Amino acid sequence: MVDRQVDIAGAAHTVLGDSRVRHLDPEQGLFSAMLEGWDRQQASRLLASGTRSQRADVVQRFVAFTGLWPWQWSPSDVEDWTADLRSAPTPRAHSTIRGYHNTVALFLSYIIDQRYGWASQCEKLVGTHPVQVFHEWNTARHTSETESRPDVRPFSRDELQGFLDFADEQVARARKLGRKGWVSAFRDATLFKVTYAWGLRRREVAMLDLADFSRNASAPEFGRFGVCNVRYGKAIKGSPPRRRSVLTVMRWAVEALTEYVEDVRPRYGTGKQSALWPTERGKRISVVTINKRFGEYRDASGLPQELHPHCLRHAYVTHLIEDGFDPYFVQRQVGHAWGSTTALYTGVSGDFKNRMLRQALDRAFGDAGTETRR
C-alpha cells in the first residue's frame, strides 16, 4: 500500500519525523504516534483539548480491553467490548456506548485515510495495516430523539422547595454554631437558586461573573439582575462557547442573589476578583465542587438518587411551561435550537399537543369545559 505524503496536520511523516530516538517497543511507539497525530489533526479543526483528551482515553481503553493494536482489531472485538460495557456491575448507558463506538470509529477513519499515511507506515513497520471494524451492523445506533436515562426527570415543586430549604438550613445552622462555613453555605445555596431560576447548566453557572448580570428596560423591577448574559453556553464541536441572554422571571431569585452579592460575596475579600462564586482560595468554584455539594444536599434531604444538578434546569423548563409561558420563549431562554429538545425537558406535553387537546375538550364539553378551565 502506497500513500502520497501530504503536509497536513496529523500526517504520519510529520509526526514520526519529529522523533530522533528509536522506540524500544516499535508497536507501542507506532500507536503513541498515531494518537499524537490524531490529536494534531483534531486541534487543527479547533476541537477543545478536553474533547481530544477524552477521545484518546476511549481509544486507549479499547486497546487495553482487546490487548491488541489498532491494526489487529476485528469486528468481533467490537461485539465483545459492547457486551462487556453492557454487563454488571456498572452497565453503561446506550448513549455512552454509542459515543464510545463513534470515537474509536473516528480514530480508525483517521489512520486508514491515505492522506495521513499511517497505513503505509504500518505496512512498513509491522507488516499489516488497519481496517475499519465499526460498522452499522455491530454498533449502537441513534434511533430516538433522546437517549437520556428514563429515570432522569425534573424536580417536582415540593422536591425543589425541600432541596432549597435544606440548603438554607445549612446556612442558619452554621451561623448559629458560629462557624465561618456559613459563608460558603450561603454561596452554595444561592448558586443552586440561580441555577434553577435562570435555567442554567452547571458550567454556565460556574463561569458566571458579577458583570454578566445587567438591567432589562422592559422589567425595571428586577434592577441590576434583569438579564443573565451567559457566555459559556454549550458549544458545538469545533466552535467556541455559545452565548445567550436569559431574561429574569423570578423575583424571589433576584432578592436572594442581591443579598448574596451585597452582604456575603464581599466576605471572600474578592477585591478585583470577577467570579460570581469565588472560593476561600480566591479561585472560581468548579463543576466538581457543585456536583459534590449537590449530592450531599440531595442525599441528606432524602431526595431520590436519580436527581442531579441538571434536573434543576429540567425543572425550570417544566415549571415555566406549566405556568403558561410561551414554549418558544422558554426555548430561547434555555438556548435550544429546536423546540422538540425543549419539549423533552418537560414533564408536560408540547404546545401543539396541548392545543389539540384543548380544542377536543372544548368541542366535547362546550361551555362547561371552558368554565372549568377558567
Side-chain angles (χ1 to χ4, degrees):
M1 179 178 293
V2 179
D3 294 332
R4 181 170 59 88
Q5 290 189 353
V6 183
D7 290 331
I8 55 177
H13 69 279
T14 64
V15 179
L16 297 173
D18 292 345
S19 177
R20 299 182 180 180
V21 180
R22 186 176 180 83
H23 207 285
L24 295 177
D25 185 346
E27 292 183 322
Q28 176 63 61
L30 179 58
F31 174 59
S32 298
M34 287 176 170
L35 288 179
E36 181 181 346
W38 194 36
D39 185 76
R40 295 184 188 183
Q41 185 253 11
Q42 293 177 96
S44 71
R45 295 161 45 212
L46 303 182
L47 268 68
S49 59
T51 300
R52 303 189 325 253
S53 176
Q54 290 174 1
R55 287 182 170 183
D57 181 65
V58 172
V59 173
Q60 290 170 324
R61 288 187 198 179
F62 190 50
V63 168
F65 174 80
T66 62
L68 302 171
W69 301 113
W71 48 89
Q72 299 172 323
W73 290 338
S74 67
S76 62
D77 296 320
V78 180
E79 297 170 3
D80 292 341
W81 191 37
T82 303
D84 182 73
L85 292 171
R86 291 176 58 88
S87 63
T90 55
R92 301 297 194 275
H94 179 95
S95 58
T96 300
I97 296 175
R98 186 174 59 82
Y100 287 174
H101 287 170
N102 289 343
T103 294
V104 187
L106 285 172
F107 171 72
L108 282 172
S109 295
Y110 158 71
I111 62 175
I112 66 178
D113 190 325
Q114 294 188 11
R115 293 173 298 176
Y116 297 98
W118 289 107
S120 61
Q121 289 294 332
C122 284
E123 289 277 13
K124 177 181 176 181
L125 298 175
V126 297
T128 186
H129 59 84
V131 296
Q132 182 60 264
V133 299
F134 288 80
H135 307 286
E136 183 178 356
W137 50 267
N138 68 346
T139 56
R141 299 175 60 189
H142 190 177
T143 57
S144 63
E145 293 182 1
T146 178
E147 295 177 330
S148 60
R149 301 192 308 273
D151 55 346
V152 174
R153 57 173 177 78
F155 276 78
S156 70
R157 294 181 188 267
D158 288 342
E159 288 173 335
L160 177 66
Q161 189 65 58
F163 178 81
L164 297 181
D165 285 346
F166 182 85
D168 287 337
E169 289 168 6
Q170 305 318 298
V171 181
R173 181 171 175 270
R175 266 181 164 170
K176 184 177 180 180
L177 296 175
R179 294 177 179 174
K180 295 175 61 177
W182 75 266
V183 176
S184 60
F186 199 114
R187 176 202 63 196
D188 296 339
T190 310
L191 183 148
F192 291 132
K193 293 172 185 176
V194 168
T195 302
Y196 165 73
W198 279 272
L200 304 178
R201 300 180 178 91
R202 279 163 281 195
R203 185 166 184 265
E204 292 174 350
V205 73
M207 297 302 293
L208 283 177
D209 285 350
L210 185 57
D212 288 331
F213 285 90
S214 58
R215 296 179 179 275
N216 181 357
S218 298
E221 58 267 45
F222 296 137
R224 61 187 292 195
F225 299 112
V227 181
C228 178
N229 299 292
V230 177
R231 293 179 293 116
Y232 287 86
K234 188 176 181 180
I236 300 174
K237 292 179 180 179
S239 68
R242 287 185 291 178
R243 293 173 175 252
R244 74 176 186 280
S245 296
V246 184
L247 304 185
T248 302
V249 297
M250 302 180 188
R251 182 187 292 275
W252 63 266
V254 172
E255 295 171 354
L257 184 55
T258 300
E259 183 179 3
Y260 166 75
V261 169
E262 295 180 354
D263 300 334
V264 179
R265 183 177 176 275
R267 294 175 181 268
Y268 281 98
T270 53
K272 295 183 178 180
Q273 164 78 273
S274 61
L276 183 59
W277 319 108
T279 66
E280 291 80 358
R281 297 184 178 182
K283 297 183 179 180
R284 185 186 299 273
I285 197 171
S286 67
V287 172
V288 173
T289 300
I290 294 174
N291 289 337
K292 180 180 178 181
R293 184 55 59 89
F294 179 91
E296 292 172 353
Y297 285 7
R298 176 200 60 205
D299 296 342
S301 55
L303 292 173
Q305 288 284 323
E306 62 264 20
L307 295 175
H308 52 73
H310 200 68
C311 294
L312 293 170
R313 178 172 159 89
H314 284 238
Y316 171 82
V317 173
T318 299
H319 296 166
L320 288 192
I321 295 293
E322 287 179 344
D323 291 342
F325 280 82
D326 183 83
Y328 184 67
F329 171 82
V330 179
Q331 175 188 336
R332 299 291 294 178
Q333 287 279 91
V334 293
H336 288 156
W338 305 101
S340 57
T341 306
T342 308
L344 292 171
Y345 271 55
T346 69
V348 295
S349 182
D351 185 51
F352 172 76
K353 292 167 65 178
N354 280 325
R355 289 201 312 270
M356 295 301 102
L357 172 64
R358 186 67 263 156
Q359 291 176 14
L361 292 175
D362 288 344
R363 286 195 301 270
F365 299 102
D367 294 339
T370 303
E371 185 63 30
T372 300
R373 178 156 53 101
R374 290 175 181 171

